[in-house]
Amino acid sequence: MKFFDINFDTKKLEQDIKNKWRLEWLNERDSLGQNWSEWLQKPDIAEVGVCEACKTIRYKSDGKKALRLHAKDTNHRNNLKTVKSNQVQ
């Protein structure tokens, strides 16, 4: 799986998708104040975002709502804590 550069235009990849990837989603903050850009990436697969701590997230039908629900998930928060605690300072 290849991840796109932040400036990549995903319009062609997702031309037939109702809820297309939006770059501004990376500027969103979760309820803990963490930027989504700290854990969310866009792969070369239509309708999918990837949480670096958890899994792929399908946003085709729900758009940003699917990502917002993932950010609130307890497993996601625990996974992020684990990832941060394992990072070398």
Side-chain angles (χ1 to χ4, degrees):
M1 182 177 339
K2 176 183 169 190
F3 291 99
F4 289 123
D5 176 274
I6 194 166
N7 297 316
F8 184 82
D9 185 5
T10 59
K11 289 179 185 172
K12 185 175 181 181
L13 175 68
E14 299 193 329
Q15 62 188 2
D16 298 327
I17 308 302
K18 178 182 175 186
N19 291 304
K20 294 172 178 41
W21 174 262
R22 305 279 189 257
L23 184 59
E24 59 266 15
W25 290 348
L26 296 175
N27 296 322
E28 292 287 325
R29 291 188 178 270
D30 62 22
S31 60
L32 300 175
Q34 185 173 30
N35 269 359
W36 288 6
S37 62
E38 294 180 39
W39 53 267
L40 182 61
Q41 290 188 14
K42 175 63 182 144
D44 57 353
I45 303 168
E47 313 167 350
V48 172
V50 173
C51 173
E52 293 179 342
C54 302
K55 62 179 182 175
T56 59
I57 308 163
R58 291 205 165 281
Y59 56 82
K60 176 183 177 180
S61 59
D62 292 330
K64 185 167 71 170
K65 180 180 176 183
L67 301 172
R68 189 179 303 121
L69 288 173
H70 178 78
K72 290 180 180 180
D73 185 75
T74 303
N75 289 329
H76 166 75
R77 291 180 181 198
N78 290 337
N79 289 345
L80 280 179
K81 287 178 187 176
T82 300
V83 168
K84 283 187 176 190
S85 68
N86 289 331
Q87 291 177 341
V88 177
Q89 299 286 336

